[in-house]
Amino acid sequence: MKTDKTNLLSVLRLELHDNGKKYLMWTLILIGALAAITCFAAITSYHQYNPSYERYSTNDPLYNFEHVTFWMGIIILGCIGASLIFAPLKSKGGAISNLMLPATQLDKYLSRWIIFVPAFIAIYYICFQIVDIGRYLILYSLLDNHTYLHLFGFNVFGMETTGVCMTLSLSLFGQSLFVLGSAVWPRHGYLYTALSAFGIIAVCSIAAGLYYSFLINSTMEFYKSGFTLNDTAMLWTVVILAFLGTLVNYTLAYFRYREIEIVQRW
Amino acid sequence: MLNITNLTFSYPKQPKPVIDDLSIRIEAGGVYGLLGPNGAGKSTLLYLISGLLTPKSGSIDLFGVNTRLRRPQTLQDIFIVPEEFVLPDVTLSSFVKTYSAFYPNFSMEDMKAHLDTFEMAGSDFRLGALSMGQKKKIYMSLALATNTPLMLMDEPTNGLDIPGKASFRRFIASKMDDTRAIMISTHQVRDIDQLLDNVIILDRHNVRLVASMQDVAERLTFKLSNNPEEINNALLRMPDLNGTMIVKPNDNQTETNVNLELLFQLAITRPEIISQLFDR
């Protein structure tokens, strides 16, 4: 058997080969957890259903709960998944296997990134839809009145395009922070990143509060000029900044991974 | 093939370097035994050669390329069998098929032959269900079948059963040719003493000896003695059930089998003698 070139696809194939069973198990657990949450919500929501409430003729009583669950899942599970991206480096044996594989560091990084970032979001979305279809079919067969029973479909996002962009960009930024955290702390990356992020947010909030109170009490002309951003401009500014921040985090994580050693020097 | 030049390395928060100004040249066509007490830096040296650690100073070049860069071409030329390793929970055939794609000189015939030597051929095992020793046999079979020019092994015989150790010696001997070098770090010197062409002895921060076994045999005599005068004049003596094992300069040009345990003791306890004899 002779091959002289390996690439991203080979590494990705190897990654799925070695961990495919684990990823399948995680997907099944995800479907199970979502199904359990949805069942619990369905029992309480449909029990409290009031047929006189007109809104339910077009909206399922579960809508609000499902939207929140969907986004919370994307954000929380996305961050947990992202913090596992460098899990093979936790043990010396795993790190040696990973680092000594004859492929570029970029290919190895991208293969894990593809699985834990875009593939995770796609699989999460598919799992959510599978659970929703299951809920719909079960309730359809159990309930007599189907007027308020709807499939979520694309409405699962629960907001307009701008809102989806903003939430998605912020969740991607959060994910990228955890990827970076995982590169810096292969062990307990999730905990350390969450603590660091909490610390940074706390410091920034205090600084912003102090700055804001300073501006209110100041006589500075620019503040009095009345310059403000409208909501749309503000929203897109946040989206662009979040995407740029995401790119920076992924780049930093790559360079950290490229230099990683089996004994951490820093 | 492999040039280690003025290599110095220290671990974080440790003031003294583990390896201090080490220079060695490894040529293809030899089995190198890397010996040293615990903490002497044997595994560290293997990791440095593999590019898994960054030297504080100095360089390690394999075929003229710095191994720390971890270029895919360089990684295709090195295979390290560490003391701790992980194997995925997949079948043997799919493991071999997937990993072999990364090594251009991989030979399936060799793989089968090595598995056969270890009496592990024939069945498609699930790797997760195997014992540590069995995993090691599979990992070493893969390692040797990749036919990388440089093979590094850290305590390869740990965890192997007695037939496994014999098989290991057999196939290391059978794999040696002029295109590859194998470096074996171990405390189990009796497992490898018949295999070695060269010996490297490390002590705290220093290289005590780099020599071919031929060179050692030409300069030193290892023998069992019951002659009190000879024992007293020996460079090193170690009581044995049948007398006293001694090391003495080879004055009469009669070569004896090198006793690695005695050589190691001599290098550690009397480095000045080794320096004098081997011009270090």
PDB file of all heavy atoms in Angstrom, chain A residues 42-69:
ATOM      1  N   ALA A  42     -44.218  19.488  26.689  1.00  0.00           N
ATOM      2  CA  ALA A  42     -45.501  19.234  26.023  1.00  0.00           C
ATOM      3  C   ALA A  42     -46.576  18.904  27.056  1.00  0.00           C
ATOM      4  O   ALA A  42     -47.696  19.419  26.991  1.00  0.00           O
ATOM      5  CB  ALA A  42     -45.346  18.084  25.036  1.00  0.00           C
ATOM      6  N   ILE A  43     -46.198  18.071  28.029  1.00  0.00           N
ATOM      7  CA  ILE A  43     -47.180  17.688  29.061  1.00  0.00           C
ATOM      8  C   ILE A  43     -47.718  18.932  29.770  1.00  0.00           C
ATOM      9  O   ILE A  43     -48.918  19.121  29.917  1.00  0.00           O
ATOM     10  CB  ILE A  43     -46.532  16.711  30.075  1.00  0.00           C
ATOM     11  CG1 ILE A  43     -46.290  15.365  29.390  1.00  0.00           C
ATOM     12  CG2 ILE A  43     -47.404  16.520  31.305  1.00  0.00           C
ATOM     13  CD1 ILE A  43     -45.351  14.447  30.141  1.00  0.00           C
ATOM     14  N   THR A  44     -46.792  19.821  30.171  1.00  0.00           N
ATOM     15  CA  THR A  44     -47.229  21.016  30.913  1.00  0.00           C
ATOM     16  C   THR A  44     -47.935  22.005  29.979  1.00  0.00           C
ATOM     17  O   THR A  44     -48.982  22.541  30.316  1.00  0.00           O
ATOM     18  CB  THR A  44     -46.034  21.704  31.599  1.00  0.00           C
ATOM     19  OG1 THR A  44     -45.014  21.863  30.623  1.00  0.00           O
ATOM     20  CG2 THR A  44     -45.518  20.896  32.756  1.00  0.00           C
ATOM     21  N   SER A  45     -47.407  22.233  28.779  1.00  0.00           N
ATOM     22  CA  SER A  45     -47.971  23.263  27.885  1.00  0.00           C
ATOM     23  C   SER A  45     -49.347  22.863  27.386  1.00  0.00           C
ATOM     24  O   SER A  45     -50.282  23.669  27.416  1.00  0.00           O
ATOM     25  CB  SER A  45     -47.070  23.493  26.685  1.00  0.00           C
ATOM     26  OG  SER A  45     -45.834  23.919  27.116  1.00  0.00           O
ATOM     27  N   TYR A  46     -49.508  21.634  26.934  1.00  0.00           N
ATOM     28  CA  TYR A  46     -50.797  21.230  26.360  1.00  0.00           C
ATOM     29  C   TYR A  46     -51.849  21.047  27.458  1.00  0.00           C
ATOM     30  O   TYR A  46     -53.027  21.223  27.234  1.00  0.00           O
ATOM     31  CB  TYR A  46     -50.646  19.964  25.524  1.00  0.00           C
ATOM     32  CG  TYR A  46     -49.815  20.209  24.286  1.00  0.00           C
ATOM     33  CD1 TYR A  46     -48.644  19.500  24.054  1.00  0.00           C
ATOM     34  CD2 TYR A  46     -50.183  21.171  23.347  1.00  0.00           C
ATOM     35  CE1 TYR A  46     -47.863  19.746  22.946  1.00  0.00           C
ATOM     36  CE2 TYR A  46     -49.409  21.422  22.235  1.00  0.00           C
ATOM     37  CZ  TYR A  46     -48.245  20.701  22.034  1.00  0.00           C
ATOM     38  OH  TYR A  46     -47.478  20.955  20.936  1.00  0.00           O
ATOM     39  N   HIS A  47     -51.373  20.714  28.639  1.00  0.00           N
ATOM     40  CA  HIS A  47     -52.279  20.577  29.770  1.00  0.00           C
ATOM     41  C   HIS A  47     -52.918  21.930  30.093  1.00  0.00           C
ATOM     42  O   HIS A  47     -54.094  22.022  30.446  1.00  0.00           O
ATOM     43  CB  HIS A  47     -51.510  20.030  30.968  1.00  0.00           C
ATOM     44  CG  HIS A  47     -52.348  19.853  32.188  1.00  0.00           C
ATOM     45  ND1 HIS A  47     -53.343  18.914  32.259  1.00  0.00           N
ATOM     46  CD2 HIS A  47     -52.349  20.512  33.386  1.00  0.00           C
ATOM     47  CE1 HIS A  47     -53.925  19.006  33.442  1.00  0.00           C
ATOM     48  NE2 HIS A  47     -53.337  19.963  34.152  1.00  0.00           N
ATOM     49  N   GLN A  48     -52.091  22.981  29.966  1.00  0.00           N
ATOM     50  CA  GLN A  48     -52.588  24.327  30.283  1.00  0.00           C
ATOM     51  C   GLN A  48     -53.233  24.989  29.066  1.00  0.00           C
ATOM     52  O   GLN A  48     -53.608  26.153  29.114  1.00  0.00           O
ATOM     53  CB  GLN A  48     -51.420  25.209  30.757  1.00  0.00           C
ATOM     54  CG  GLN A  48     -50.875  24.772  32.101  1.00  0.00           C
ATOM     55  CD  GLN A  48     -49.523  25.381  32.392  1.00  0.00           C
ATOM     56  OE1 GLN A  48     -48.956  26.074  31.557  1.00  0.00           O
ATOM     57  NE2 GLN A  48     -49.010  25.110  33.580  1.00  0.00           N
ATOM     58  N   TYR A  49     -53.349  24.279  27.999  1.00  0.00           N
ATOM     59  CA  TYR A  49     -53.860  24.847  26.754  1.00  0.00           C
ATOM     60  C   TYR A  49     -55.297  25.355  26.926  1.00  0.00           C
ATOM     61  O   TYR A  49     -56.156  24.663  27.480  1.00  0.00           O
ATOM     62  CB  TYR A  49     -53.807  23.772  25.666  1.00  0.00           C
ATOM     63  CG  TYR A  49     -54.680  24.077  24.467  1.00  0.00           C
ATOM     64  CD1 TYR A  49     -54.401  25.168  23.639  1.00  0.00           C
ATOM     65  CD2 TYR A  49     -55.794  23.285  24.188  1.00  0.00           C
ATOM     66  CE1 TYR A  49     -55.211  25.434  22.551  1.00  0.00           C
ATOM     67  CE2 TYR A  49     -56.594  23.555  23.104  1.00  0.00           C
ATOM     68  CZ  TYR A  49     -56.292  24.639  22.278  1.00  0.00           C
ATOM     69  OH  TYR A  49     -57.089  24.914  21.216  1.00  0.00           O
ATOM     70  N   ASN A  50     -55.496  26.552  26.439  1.00  0.00           N
ATOM     71  CA  ASN A  50     -56.830  27.152  26.499  1.00  0.00           C
ATOM     72  C   ASN A  50     -57.327  27.348  25.069  1.00  0.00           C
ATOM     73  O   ASN A  50     -56.808  28.191  24.341  1.00  0.00           O
ATOM     74  CB  ASN A  50     -56.721  28.500  27.222  1.00  0.00           C
ATOM     75  CG  ASN A  50     -58.081  29.169  27.327  1.00  0.00           C
ATOM     76  OD1 ASN A  50     -59.064  28.669  26.778  1.00  0.00           O
ATOM     77  ND2 ASN A  50     -58.127  30.281  28.041  1.00  0.00           N
ATOM     78  N   PRO A  51     -58.313  26.563  24.632  1.00  0.00           N
ATOM     79  CA  PRO A  51     -58.757  26.618  23.233  1.00  0.00           C
ATOM     80  C   PRO A  51     -59.299  27.990  22.827  1.00  0.00           C
ATOM     81  O   PRO A  51     -59.310  28.328  21.650  1.00  0.00           O
ATOM     82  CB  PRO A  51     -59.870  25.576  23.168  1.00  0.00           C
ATOM     83  CG  PRO A  51     -59.838  24.840  24.439  1.00  0.00           C
ATOM     84  CD  PRO A  51     -59.100  25.624  25.428  1.00  0.00           C
ATOM     85  N   SER A  52     -59.687  28.767  23.834  1.00  0.00           N
ATOM     86  CA  SER A  52     -60.242  30.074  23.473  1.00  0.00           C
ATOM     87  C   SER A  52     -59.133  31.065  23.111  1.00  0.00           C
ATOM     88  O   SER A  52     -59.403  32.152  22.608  1.00  0.00           O
ATOM     89  CB  SER A  52     -61.064  30.615  24.637  1.00  0.00           C
ATOM     90  OG  SER A  52     -60.215  30.811  25.739  1.00  0.00           O
ATOM     91  N   TYR A  53     -57.891  30.669  23.409  1.00  0.00           N
ATOM     92  CA  TYR A  53     -56.772  31.570  23.122  1.00  0.00           C
ATOM     93  C   TYR A  53     -56.466  31.498  21.619  1.00  0.00           C
ATOM     94  O   TYR A  53     -55.898  30.527  21.139  1.00  0.00           O
ATOM     95  CB  TYR A  53     -55.563  31.145  23.972  1.00  0.00           C
ATOM     96  CG  TYR A  53     -54.462  32.173  24.082  1.00  0.00           C
ATOM     97  CD1 TYR A  53     -54.606  33.459  23.558  1.00  0.00           C
ATOM     98  CD2 TYR A  53     -53.272  31.872  24.714  1.00  0.00           C
ATOM     99  CE1 TYR A  53     -53.608  34.397  23.679  1.00  0.00           C
ATOM    100  CE2 TYR A  53     -52.257  32.792  24.835  1.00  0.00           C
ATOM    101  CZ  TYR A  53     -52.443  34.063  24.307  1.00  0.00           C
ATOM    102  OH  TYR A  53     -51.434  34.977  24.410  1.00  0.00           O
ATOM    103  N   GLU A  54     -56.829  32.555  20.893  1.00  0.00           N
ATOM    104  CA  GLU A  54     -56.797  32.562  19.430  1.00  0.00           C
ATOM    105  C   GLU A  54     -55.397  32.294  18.861  1.00  0.00           C
ATOM    106  O   GLU A  54     -55.232  31.692  17.803  1.00  0.00           O
ATOM    107  CB  GLU A  54     -57.288  33.919  18.900  1.00  0.00           C
ATOM    108  CG  GLU A  54     -58.804  34.051  18.855  1.00  0.00           C
ATOM    109  CD  GLU A  54     -59.462  32.976  18.016  1.00  0.00           C
ATOM    110  OE1 GLU A  54     -58.990  32.757  16.893  1.00  0.00           O
ATOM    111  OE2 GLU A  54     -60.412  32.325  18.490  1.00  0.00           O
ATOM    112  N   ARG A  55     -54.399  32.760  19.606  1.00  0.00           N
ATOM    113  CA  ARG A  55     -53.023  32.667  19.117  1.00  0.00           C
ATOM    114  C   ARG A  55     -52.641  31.227  18.752  1.00  0.00           C
ATOM    115  O   ARG A  55     -51.862  30.978  17.840  1.00  0.00           O
ATOM    116  CB  ARG A  55     -52.088  33.174  20.223  1.00  0.00           C
ATOM    117  CG  ARG A  55     -50.646  33.340  19.860  1.00  0.00           C
ATOM    118  CD  ARG A  55     -49.971  34.206  20.887  1.00  0.00           C
ATOM    119  NE  ARG A  55     -49.707  33.488  22.132  1.00  0.00           N
ATOM    120  CZ  ARG A  55     -48.543  32.902  22.395  1.00  0.00           C
ATOM    121  NH1 ARG A  55     -47.577  32.952  21.533  1.00  0.00           N
ATOM    122  NH2 ARG A  55     -48.365  32.278  23.541  1.00  0.00           N
ATOM    123  N   TYR A  56     -53.227  30.253  19.450  1.00  0.00           N
ATOM    124  CA  TYR A  56     -52.851  28.866  19.252  1.00  0.00           C
ATOM    125  C   TYR A  56     -53.375  28.278  17.938  1.00  0.00           C
ATOM    126  O   TYR A  56     -53.025  27.161  17.583  1.00  0.00           O
ATOM    127  CB  TYR A  56     -53.318  28.014  20.429  1.00  0.00           C
ATOM    128  CG  TYR A  56     -52.559  28.290  21.701  1.00  0.00           C
ATOM    129  CD1 TYR A  56     -53.151  28.122  22.938  1.00  0.00           C
ATOM    130  CD2 TYR A  56     -51.240  28.734  21.652  1.00  0.00           C
ATOM    131  CE1 TYR A  56     -52.454  28.381  24.097  1.00  0.00           C
ATOM    132  CE2 TYR A  56     -50.539  29.007  22.802  1.00  0.00           C
ATOM    133  CZ  TYR A  56     -51.141  28.832  24.023  1.00  0.00           C
ATOM    134  OH  TYR A  56     -50.453  29.092  25.168  1.00  0.00           O
ATOM    135  N   SER A  57     -54.234  29.029  17.243  1.00  0.00           N
ATOM    136  CA  SER A  57     -54.690  28.507  15.949  1.00  0.00           C
ATOM    137  C   SER A  57     -53.562  28.549  14.926  1.00  0.00           C
ATOM    138  O   SER A  57     -53.556  27.806  13.952  1.00  0.00           O
ATOM    139  CB  SER A  57     -55.889  29.296  15.441  1.00  0.00           C
ATOM    140  OG  SER A  57     -55.500  30.639  15.277  1.00  0.00           O
ATOM    141  N   THR A  58     -52.607  29.451  15.152  1.00  0.00           N
ATOM    142  CA  THR A  58     -51.468  29.511  14.224  1.00  0.00           C
ATOM    143  C   THR A  58     -50.150  29.189  14.917  1.00  0.00           C
ATOM    144  O   THR A  58     -49.165  28.891  14.261  1.00  0.00           O
ATOM    145  CB  THR A  58     -51.334  30.911  13.604  1.00  0.00           C
ATOM    146  OG1 THR A  58     -51.327  31.869  14.672  1.00  0.00           O
ATOM    147  CG2 THR A  58     -52.482  31.202  12.651  1.00  0.00           C
ATOM    148  N   ASN A  59     -50.130  29.298  16.224  1.00  0.00           N
ATOM    149  CA  ASN A  59     -48.886  29.042  16.945  1.00  0.00           C
ATOM    150  C   ASN A  59     -49.067  27.905  17.932  1.00  0.00           C
ATOM    151  O   ASN A  59     -50.024  27.885  18.696  1.00  0.00           O
ATOM    152  CB  ASN A  59     -48.443  30.287  17.721  1.00  0.00           C
ATOM    153  CG  ASN A  59     -47.879  31.320  16.788  1.00  0.00           C
ATOM    154  OD1 ASN A  59     -47.091  31.016  15.911  1.00  0.00           O
ATOM    155  ND2 ASN A  59     -48.322  32.546  16.948  1.00  0.00           N
ATOM    156  N   ASP A  60     -48.098  27.006  17.929  1.00  0.00           N
ATOM    157  CA  ASP A  60     -48.141  25.896  18.871  1.00  0.00           C
ATOM    158  C   ASP A  60     -47.839  26.420  20.277  1.00  0.00           C
ATOM    159  O   ASP A  60     -46.973  27.297  20.432  1.00  0.00           O
ATOM    160  CB  ASP A  60     -47.072  24.868  18.441  1.00  0.00           C
ATOM    161  CG  ASP A  60     -47.236  23.558  19.138  1.00  0.00           C
ATOM    162  OD1 ASP A  60     -47.019  23.527  20.356  1.00  0.00           O
ATOM    163  OD2 ASP A  60     -47.579  22.575  18.461  1.00  0.00           O
ATOM    164  N   PRO A  61     -48.507  25.902  21.324  1.00  0.00           N
ATOM    165  CA  PRO A  61     -48.223  26.382  22.687  1.00  0.00           C
ATOM    166  C   PRO A  61     -46.774  26.157  23.114  1.00  0.00           C
ATOM    167  O   PRO A  61     -46.297  26.787  24.042  1.00  0.00           O
ATOM    168  CB  PRO A  61     -49.157  25.542  23.571  1.00  0.00           C
ATOM    169  CG  PRO A  61     -50.138  24.923  22.661  1.00  0.00           C
ATOM    170  CD  PRO A  61     -49.575  24.907  21.294  1.00  0.00           C
ATOM    171  N   LEU A  62     -46.099  25.259  22.424  1.00  0.00           N
ATOM    172  CA  LEU A  62     -44.705  24.958  22.806  1.00  0.00           C
ATOM    173  C   LEU A  62     -43.682  25.921  22.191  1.00  0.00           C
ATOM    174  O   LEU A  62     -42.506  25.854  22.504  1.00  0.00           O
ATOM    175  CB  LEU A  62     -44.345  23.539  22.345  1.00  0.00           C
ATOM    176  CG  LEU A  62     -44.539  22.391  23.320  1.00  0.00           C
ATOM    177  CD1 LEU A  62     -44.022  21.111  22.704  1.00  0.00           C
ATOM    178  CD2 LEU A  62     -43.818  22.651  24.618  1.00  0.00           C
ATOM    179  N   TYR A  63     -44.152  26.795  21.281  1.00  0.00           N
ATOM    180  CA  TYR A  63     -43.221  27.609  20.494  1.00  0.00           C
ATOM    181  C   TYR A  63     -42.173  28.331  21.344  1.00  0.00           C
ATOM    182  O   TYR A  63     -40.972  28.198  21.113  1.00  0.00           O
ATOM    183  CB  TYR A  63     -44.001  28.635  19.668  1.00  0.00           C
ATOM    184  CG  TYR A  63     -44.204  28.185  18.233  1.00  0.00           C
ATOM    185  CD1 TYR A  63     -44.263  26.831  17.905  1.00  0.00           C
ATOM    186  CD2 TYR A  63     -44.350  29.113  17.214  1.00  0.00           C
ATOM    187  CE1 TYR A  63     -44.464  26.428  16.608  1.00  0.00           C
ATOM    188  CE2 TYR A  63     -44.552  28.709  15.899  1.00  0.00           C
ATOM    189  CZ  TYR A  63     -44.611  27.371  15.604  1.00  0.00           C
ATOM    190  OH  TYR A  63     -44.793  26.973  14.334  1.00  0.00           O
ATOM    191  N   ASN A  64     -42.660  29.096  22.311  1.00  0.00           N
ATOM    192  CA  ASN A  64     -41.728  29.919  23.088  1.00  0.00           C
ATOM    193  C   ASN A  64     -40.694  29.050  23.802  1.00  0.00           C
ATOM    194  O   ASN A  64     -39.496  29.334  23.760  1.00  0.00           O
ATOM    195  CB  ASN A  64     -42.480  30.756  24.121  1.00  0.00           C
ATOM    196  CG  ASN A  64     -43.119  31.945  23.451  1.00  0.00           C
ATOM    197  OD1 ASN A  64     -42.739  32.324  22.337  1.00  0.00           O
ATOM    198  ND2 ASN A  64     -44.122  32.515  24.105  1.00  0.00           N
ATOM    199  N   PHE A  65     -41.195  27.997  24.410  1.00  0.00           N
ATOM    200  CA  PHE A  65     -40.294  27.113  25.147  1.00  0.00           C
ATOM    201  C   PHE A  65     -39.255  26.504  24.201  1.00  0.00           C
ATOM    202  O   PHE A  65     -38.064  26.440  24.520  1.00  0.00           O
ATOM    203  CB  PHE A  65     -41.110  26.005  25.825  1.00  0.00           C
ATOM    204  CG  PHE A  65     -40.269  25.036  26.585  1.00  0.00           C
ATOM    205  CD1 PHE A  65     -39.841  25.330  27.873  1.00  0.00           C
ATOM    206  CD2 PHE A  65     -39.853  23.841  25.995  1.00  0.00           C
ATOM    207  CE1 PHE A  65     -39.045  24.437  28.568  1.00  0.00           C
ATOM    208  CE2 PHE A  65     -39.052  22.960  26.684  1.00  0.00           C
ATOM    209  CZ  PHE A  65     -38.648  23.259  27.977  1.00  0.00           C
ATOM    210  N   GLU A  66     -39.739  26.071  23.033  1.00  0.00           N
ATOM    211  CA  GLU A  66     -38.835  25.417  22.083  1.00  0.00           C
ATOM    212  C   GLU A  66     -37.785  26.378  21.538  1.00  0.00           C
ATOM    213  O   GLU A  66     -36.629  26.004  21.364  1.00  0.00           O
ATOM    214  CB  GLU A  66     -39.639  24.825  20.917  1.00  0.00           C
ATOM    215  CG  GLU A  66     -40.495  23.657  21.318  1.00  0.00           C
ATOM    216  CD  GLU A  66     -39.690  22.396  21.577  1.00  0.00           C
ATOM    217  OE1 GLU A  66     -39.311  21.729  20.607  1.00  0.00           O
ATOM    218  OE2 GLU A  66     -39.421  22.089  22.746  1.00  0.00           O
ATOM    219  N   HIS A  67     -38.186  27.609  21.286  1.00  0.00           N
ATOM    220  CA  HIS A  67     -37.205  28.593  20.784  1.00  0.00           C
ATOM    221  C   HIS A  67     -36.085  28.799  21.794  1.00  0.00           C
ATOM    222  O   HIS A  67     -34.904  28.805  21.454  1.00  0.00           O
ATOM    223  CB  HIS A  67     -37.878  29.945  20.513  1.00  0.00           C
ATOM    224  CG  HIS A  67     -38.875  29.863  19.417  1.00  0.00           C
ATOM    225  ND1 HIS A  67     -39.983  30.670  19.363  1.00  0.00           N
ATOM    226  CD2 HIS A  67     -38.956  29.063  18.341  1.00  0.00           C
ATOM    227  CE1 HIS A  67     -40.692  30.362  18.298  1.00  0.00           C
ATOM    228  NE2 HIS A  67     -40.093  29.391  17.653  1.00  0.00           N
ATOM    229  N   VAL A  68     -36.508  28.959  23.046  1.00  0.00           N
ATOM    230  CA  VAL A  68     -35.503  29.189  24.096  1.00  0.00           C
ATOM    231  C   VAL A  68     -34.606  27.949  24.219  1.00  0.00           C
ATOM    232  O   VAL A  68     -33.380  28.054  24.272  1.00  0.00           O
ATOM    233  CB  VAL A  68     -36.198  29.500  25.448  1.00  0.00           C
ATOM    234  CG1 VAL A  68     -35.181  29.551  26.575  1.00  0.00           C
ATOM    235  CG2 VAL A  68     -36.944  30.817  25.348  1.00  0.00           C
ATOM    236  N   THR A  69     -35.230  26.768  24.206  1.00  0.00           N
ATOM    237  CA  THR A  69     -34.446  25.516  24.325  1.00  0.00           C
ATOM    238  C   THR A  69     -33.457  25.398  23.172  1.00  0.00           C
ATOM    239  O   THR A  69     -32.290  25.030  23.361  1.00  0.00           O
ATOM    240  CB  THR A  69     -35.383  24.288  24.310  1.00  0.00           C
ATOM    241  OG1 THR A  69     -36.395  24.494  25.278  1.00  0.00           O
ATOM    242  CG2 THR A  69     -34.651  23.006  24.601  1.00  0.00           C
TER     243      THR A  69
END
